[in-house]
Amino acid sequence: MKLLVACLVILLVAIVAKTYLFSFRFQSPQDYAGTGPQFDLKTHLSGEILSEGLIFGPNGKMTNSFVAKMVGTWDGDTGTLSEEFTYSNGKTQSRKWYLTLGPNNTFTATADDLVGEAQGVVSGSTVRLRYEIILPEDSGGHTLQATDWMYLTADGAIMNKSEMRKFGLKVAELVATMRPN
């Protein structure tokens, strides 16, 4: 019996270690310092952008897909990114991010469906953005903790991966491309 308990404890520790030490949300901007091409918010989030993506639920199955038309504009160190989503289930959504560049490759962002300010950092060819988002009522109205990573590719496309968590548990994941249109 003691051997069984010891094995279960070891298994539990291994699962927790994998979840908290070797997972998507524990990569760091410093992991990408010096990578290229250099991500520049004013350059790469400007003009018309076409995004296509998939949304996965907590069990890993795709729950929806989308196409989004985005338009980024900048005035000095402040910018907006307007998004018009069309989902595969027929629903549409309009969102607008308000971005403000800060010191040392940091930035903040707000949107109507966020709690407070999102905190972002640019490092090499990547951007990490952390925030709390309130889902629309028809999606449950839950407040989720989100971590977005955007990875700039050599041809100028941006690959976006996001994880949404509630009480520390992953409840949704998004994978998308973003290309100048």
Side-chain angles (χ1 to χ4, degrees), residues 1 17 24 39 70-71 87 89 96-97 104 120 130 135 167:
M1 186 65 167
F24 168 79
F39 203 121
M70 305 176 174
V71 177
Y87 294 94
N89 63 8
K96 192 170 196 175
W97 289 94
N104 302 318
R130 289 186 174 161
L135 297 180
F167 305 120

Side-chain angles (χ1 to χ4, degrees), residues 97 109-119 130-134:
W97 289 94
T110 60
D112 289 342
D113 56 358
L114 298 189
V115 175
E117 278 188 339
Q119 301 298 313
R130 289 186 174 161
Y131 54 93
E132 288 188 32
I133 187 167
I134 304 166

Side-chain angles (χ1 to χ4, degrees), residues 2-171:
K2 288 183 180 181
L3 180 60
L4 179 59
V5 170
C7 288
L8 289 175
V9 168
I10 290 170
L11 179 62
L12 182 60
V13 167
I15 290 170
V16 169
K18 183 213 174 274
T19 300
Y20 288 100
L21 300 176
F22 303 106
S23 69
F24 168 79
R25 71 181 182 158
F26 284 95
Q27 60 187 322
S28 163
Q30 292 78 18
D31 295 339
Y32 299 99
T35 61
Q38 181 67 38
F39 203 121
D40 179 69
L41 293 175
K42 288 182 181 182
T43 300
H44 297 105
L45 296 182
S46 284
E48 293 183 8
I49 300 167
L50 179 65
S51 179
E52 297 175 287
L54 305 171
I55 301 169
F56 300 88
N59 61 4
K61 292 182 181 177
M62 185 187 76
T63 59
N64 217 337
S65 63
F66 65 86
V67 174
K69 294 180 180 178
M70 305 176 174
V71 177
T73 59
W74 289 88
D75 183 13
D77 286 342
T78 60
T80 60
L81 184 63
S82 300
E83 303 171 317
E84 297 293 331
F85 289 88
T86 302
Y87 294 94
S88 59
N89 63 8
K91 294 183 180 176
T92 60
Q93 180 184 27
S94 297
R95 296 186 73 241
K96 192 170 196 175
W97 289 94
Y98 299 90
L99 308 165
T100 303
L101 300 182
N104 302 318
N105 294 320
T106 64
F107 67 99
T108 58
T110 60
D112 289 342
D113 56 358
L114 298 189
V115 175
E117 278 188 339
Q119 301 298 313
V121 62
V122 178
S123 184
S125 60
T126 67
V127 172
R128 182 190 70 197
L129 187 62
R130 289 186 174 161
Y131 54 93
E132 288 188 32
I133 187 167
I134 304 166
L135 297 180
E137 283 302 318
D138 61 356
S139 296
H142 300 281
T143 299
L144 304 177
Q145 293 75 41
T147 301
D148 286 356
W149 278 89
M150 291 181 273
Y151 307 88
L152 180 63
T153 65
D155 72 350
I158 299 168
M159 303 300 297
N160 177 216
K161 182 175 178 184
S162 302
E163 268 190 6
M164 278 66 70
R165 293 181 172 264
K166 181 144 183 129
F167 305 120
L169 301 174
K170 182 168 65 169
V171 296

